[in-house]
Amino acid sequence: MNTFDLALQQLKEKGYKKTKQRERIIEIFASHDQYVPAKKILQDMQEEFPSVSFDTIYRNLYLLSRENMLEATELEGEKHFRLSCGTGHHHHHFICTDCGKTKLIEFCPMESMEEDLKGYEVENHKFEIYGKCPQCG
Amino acid sequence: MNTFDLALQQLKEKGYKKTKQRERIIEIFASHDQYVPAKKILQDMQEEFPSVSFDTIYRNLYLLSRENMLEATELEGEKHFRLSCGTGHHHHHFICTDCGKTKLIEFCPMESMEEDLKGYEVENHKFEIYGKCPQCG
DNA sequence: CACTAAATAAGAATGATTACGATTTAGATT
DNA sequence: AATCTAAATCGTAATCATTCTTATTTAGTG
């Protein structure tokens, strides 16, 4: 089963309605193996739904993020999203500053941080590497 | 020499003018050992300079960042700044999500990434840990 | 004291994101 | 298939951080 059908199935299982707009949003993500800004999703959506509202875009982006179907990160002051990759295991990304495509980084630096953070309660962390991928470099 | 005087001296050496506003901005940073948003700087500034403009704040924040006197990071969609700590050597931070105070992290995960990134041109990276510091936890 | 480039003030403009009332629609029920 | 209801969407306005523009002021120099 491909990522598109998988995502739709997950939505159904969680009791969300299937709408044309929602389908299209997921479709757009499935065809971009990269982080894309909300703005880009809006533009792509407008081709099929000329009167789609900001609200629909953002509401769905956050819904999909909450349900772990999207990963989010802030790049240059704009929120960017991509379909969650893989099996839900923890990972990080190299992000190409040209094309936005990503490379999975399995290594997590938190594994070696316990002793340095005695007394600190860790809630979250971010490890991202930015640069040019082989195609853009 | 304390951080405040050091910063002023650096500005002078680089040929920037000494203004009351600039002095105050640095003073504010020197009294906050933590990441603070531009908004906070503006508010503190207004106590002494009721008619200070956004422009003055942002222009100086970017000037000071460019000159490596401030470190910047994006937290919750807002740019945050803090006085550069230490001797200019590369480091990362634990950032308290309550009080904003930071703890220096000497370890840099990039040291063990070369082989994973063959063919990729690394420009930058971000490693930040978020949570509660001992005082807030 | 006069000069000039740098810095600031005031406020408008921009751009991303959020909010909201009115309308439509998916999916369940009859 | 018709009805119902909560969820989803639309259309638009509001908000918020940030950037820009023009006129004015000021620091430092001669």
Side-chain angles (χ1 to χ4, degrees), chain A residues 17-18 20 38-39 54-55 58 62 78-79:
Chain A
K17 291 183 178 176
K18 180 166 132 179
K20 294 187 295 296
K39 175 172 57 186
F54 300 122
D55 199 50
Y58 283 102
Y62 286 108
E78 271 180 87
K79 283 168 192 132

Side-chain angles (χ1 to χ4, degrees), chain B residues 17-18 38-39 55 58 62 79:
Chain B
K17 291 183 178 174
K18 180 165 132 180
K39 175 173 55 184
D55 198 53
Y58 284 102
Y62 287 108
K79 284 169 193 132

Side-chain angles (χ1 to χ4, degrees), chain A residues 33-99:
Chain A
D33 179 29
Q34 59 199 150
Y35 275 105
V36 294
K39 175 172 57 186
K40 166 77 173 155
I41 299 296
L42 178 66
Q43 288 165 355
D44 282 14
M45 284 291 283
Q46 284 173 330
E47 290 178 18
E48 186 169 351
F49 304 94
S51 62
V52 68
S53 85
F54 300 122
D55 199 50
T56 300
I57 304 292
Y58 283 102
R59 194 165 14 75
N60 280 301
L61 291 180
Y62 286 108
L63 167 67
L64 294 170
S65 297
R66 253 200 328 279
E67 299 298 344
N68 294 315
M69 302 169 65
L70 290 183
E71 299 177 37
T73 193
E74 186 121 7
L75 299 173
E76 299 159 9
E78 271 180 87
K79 283 168 192 132
H80 286 58
F81 301 84
R82 57 159 297 145
L83 269 189
S84 280
C85 41
T87 54
H89 76 295
H90 182 69
H91 61 266
H92 296 283
H93 282 123
F94 172 97
I95 302 173
C96 180
T97 51
D98 246 26
C99 68

Side-chain angles (χ1 to χ4, degrees), chain B residues 36-130:
Chain B
V36 294
K39 175 173 55 184
K40 166 76 172 156
I41 299 296
L42 178 66
Q43 287 166 356
D44 282 15
M45 284 291 282
Q46 284 173 330
E47 290 177 18
E48 185 169 350
F49 304 94
S51 63
V52 69
S53 84
F54 299 123
D55 198 53
T56 300
I57 305 294
Y58 284 102
R59 193 166 15 76
N60 280 300
L61 292 180
Y62 287 108
L63 167 67
L64 294 169
S65 297
R66 253 198 330 279
E67 299 298 344
N68 294 315
M69 302 169 63
L70 290 183
E71 298 177 38
T73 192
E74 187 122 8
L75 300 173
E76 299 159 9
E78 272 180 85
K79 284 169 193 132
H80 285 58
F81 301 83
R82 57 159 296 144
L83 269 189
S84 280
C85 39
T87 54
H89 76 297
H90 181 70
H91 61 266
H92 297 285
H93 282 123
F94 171 96
I95 302 173
C96 180
T97 51
D98 247 26
C99 68
K101 288 212 179 65
T102 58
K103 172 184 164 55
L104 212 63
I105 304 288
E106 298 285 353
F107 171 68
C108 176
M110 291 308 289
E111 288 163 13
S112 46
M113 295 301 307
E114 301 89 18
E115 63 209 79
D116 280 348
L117 293 171
K118 284 253 190 292
Y120 290 78
E121 184 187 323
V122 173
E123 295 168 343
N124 212 339
H125 66 281
K126 184 169 189 170
F127 176 40
E128 283 178 349
I129 309 173
Y130 313 102

